[in-house]
Structures are given as structure tokens and as C-alpha cells.
């Protein structure tokens, strides 16, 4: 449940798996009895068992952001202003047909320094991203190379403290260690390589 623009938004299924709704989709209500309405049927594939399964809602820049699966692109970032026509895919980050994005490849949004940060895997590993309209970009490729994830799959990966964004990341050399981003063009930096003896890249 999340409050946005005078309404309460949530994911729900009306139990219909046919030509109208396909399971869990985006709904909203103004709080009165009988007011719950479907915002958009995101899962548009005519598969009787398919559903958009929107999750991880957050309000940013007068829009509601979330992750969902339209049946063609896997789980990707979406946004809405509360209307069907303006509920849209932000970007298909992982466009590799053989490895569509999954919920595990996306991590809860965090608002920091006037922008929205999240993690995603474009096929080259999980890294930090920031949406910019329809052109999300990798904030920093911490662990370069195909399939080399710099940031772990976790729903508590971010913490804002002392005006900076902290998280754990693996640069491929020091294992998972604390990193910090101050919002400037210099990008994220390693706070400290705490375990210099036994911290392998996979830890």
C-alpha cells in the first residue's frame, strides 16, 4: 500500500484470468466503499496464468514508480500518474531475450540528492542505476565486466546517513565492502576495505 496524489495504490487480483485482467495488477482507491478501480492491466500477454505483479512502490517527482512485468520484458521499472494512458514502462533495462529481468534483479528505490537510485541488471551484472525520464543510466559500474555484479540483491541495500548514500558493493578486488556516494559527479567511493585478509570477491 502506498499513498499517492490523494489515492491509495496497491497490487491485487480480481481472480479473473481471461481477456480482462490477468491476476495481480495495479489498483487504486479513494477510500470509499466500492471505489477501488484497476489503474492498468500491465500483464498484457493473453496467457491465462499471466499477471503484471507490480511491487516496490515509491513516490518520486509527482509520479508513482514501481517494478512490474508486462509479459514481454520481464520485471522492469514502471511509472504512473494514476491514469491508464500514463502508466508506462520507464525502460527495458535487460533486453536480452534469453535472460529477462526478474524481481531478484531489482532492489527497492531510494531517494537521494534529488534523484531516485535503484539496482538493476542489464545483463552485465547488478549495478547502481538512476532513472531519468525514459533513459535510466548506470550511476557507476563498480564491478566492470559481463555478469560481474557490483551490488548485492538485497531490499535493504541503501541507507542515507550524514547527507550521503551508503551501501555494500563488490569491485571485484576487495569483496563486499562499505561504499558511499555523495551525489557528485565523482561517483561512489570505497569507504574502507575492512577485511584485507580473507574477504574474497564472493563474500
Amino acid at each position: 500500500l502506498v499513498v499517492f496524489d490523494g489515492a491509495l495504490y496497491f497490487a491485487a487480483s480480481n481472480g479473473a484470468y481471461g481477456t480482462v485482467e490477468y491476476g495481480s495488477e495495479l489498483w487504486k482507491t479513494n477510500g470509499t466503499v466500492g471505489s477501488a478501480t484497476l489503474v492498468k492491466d500491465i500483464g498484457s500477454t493473453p496467457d491465462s496464468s499471466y499477471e503484471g505483479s507490480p511491487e516496490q512502490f515509491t513516490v518520486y517527482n509527482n509520479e508513482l514508480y514501481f517494478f512490474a512485468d508486462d509479459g514481454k520484458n520481464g520485471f522492469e521499472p514502471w511509472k504512473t500518474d494514476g491514469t491508464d494512458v500514463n502508466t508506462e514502462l520507464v525502460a527495458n533495462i535487460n533486453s536480452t531475450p534469453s535472460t529477462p529481468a526478474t524481481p531478484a534483479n531489482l532492489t527497492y528505490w531510494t531517494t537521494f540528492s534529488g534523484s531516485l537510485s535503484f539496482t538493476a541488471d542489464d545483463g552485465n551484472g547488478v549495478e547502481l542505476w538512476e532513472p531519468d525520464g525514459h533513459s535510466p543510466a548506470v550511476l557507476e559500474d563498480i564491478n566492470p565486466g559481463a555478469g560481474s555484479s557490483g551490488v548485492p540483491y538485497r531490499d535493504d541495500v541503501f541507507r542515507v546517513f550524514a547527507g550521503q548514500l551508503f551501501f555494500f558493493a563488490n569491485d571485484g578486488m576487495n569483496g563486499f565492502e562499505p561504499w558511499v556516494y555523495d551525489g557528485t559527479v565523482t561517483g561512489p567511493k570505497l569507504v574502507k576495505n575492512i577485511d584485507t585478509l580473507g574477504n574474497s570477491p564472493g563474500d
Side-chain angles (χ1 to χ4, degrees):
L1 298 168
V2 62
V3 177
F4 168 64
D5 196 26
L8 189 66
Y9 288 74
F10 57 96
S13 170
N14 68 351
Y17 292 88
T19 58
V20 182
E21 289 89 33
Y22 307 143
S24 179
E25 295 293 350
L26 182 62
W27 289 70
K28 68 178 179 180
T29 178
N30 63 14
T32 62
V33 175
S35 69
T37 58
L38 179 70
V39 176
K40 187 179 184 67
D41 180 13
I42 294 170
S44 57
T45 299
D47 181 337
S48 61
S49 64
Y50 193 75
E51 51 191 348
S53 301
E55 59 180 61
Q56 303 184 26
F57 301 109
T58 191
V59 178
Y60 170 71
N61 200 23
N62 298 317
E63 292 179 298
L64 179 64
Y65 282 77
F66 57 96
F67 297 117
D69 186 349
D70 63 1
K72 299 183 287 268
N73 301 304
F75 274 84
E76 296 287 355
W78 285 66
K79 67 178 181 178
T80 183
D81 66 357
T83 64
D84 180 297
V85 66
N86 289 324
T87 300
E88 56 188 1
L89 178 71
V90 175
N92 182 13
I93 291 176
N94 191 340
S95 58
T96 306
S98 60
T99 56
T102 66
N105 293 1
L106 303 157
T107 300
Y108 284 95
W109 318 85
T110 293
T111 303
F112 171 72
S113 189
S115 62
L116 203 58
S117 298
F118 64 103
T119 67
D121 184 355
D122 62 358
N124 293 309
V126 183
E127 299 290 351
L128 283 175
W129 289 70
E130 287 186 347
D132 179 17
H134 284 274
S135 301
V138 176
L139 176 62
E140 180 81 5
D141 190 358
I142 292 173
N143 192 348
S148 300
S149 297
V151 183
Y153 303 110
R154 297 181 61 173
D155 61 8
D156 60 348
V157 67
F158 299 119
R159 285 293 182 272
V160 177
F161 173 71
Q164 300 179 102
L165 182 66
F166 288 82
F167 57 94
F168 289 109
N170 177 9
D171 60 6
M173 297 177 292
N174 301 304
F176 282 102
E177 297 286 355
W179 284 65
V180 63
Y181 174 51
D182 62 6
T184 66
V185 295
T186 59
K189 302 295 182 185
L190 177 68
V191 175
K192 183 179 178 62
N193 183 13
I194 295 174
D195 188 347
T196 60
L197 298 177
N199 197 352
S200 65
D203 291 341

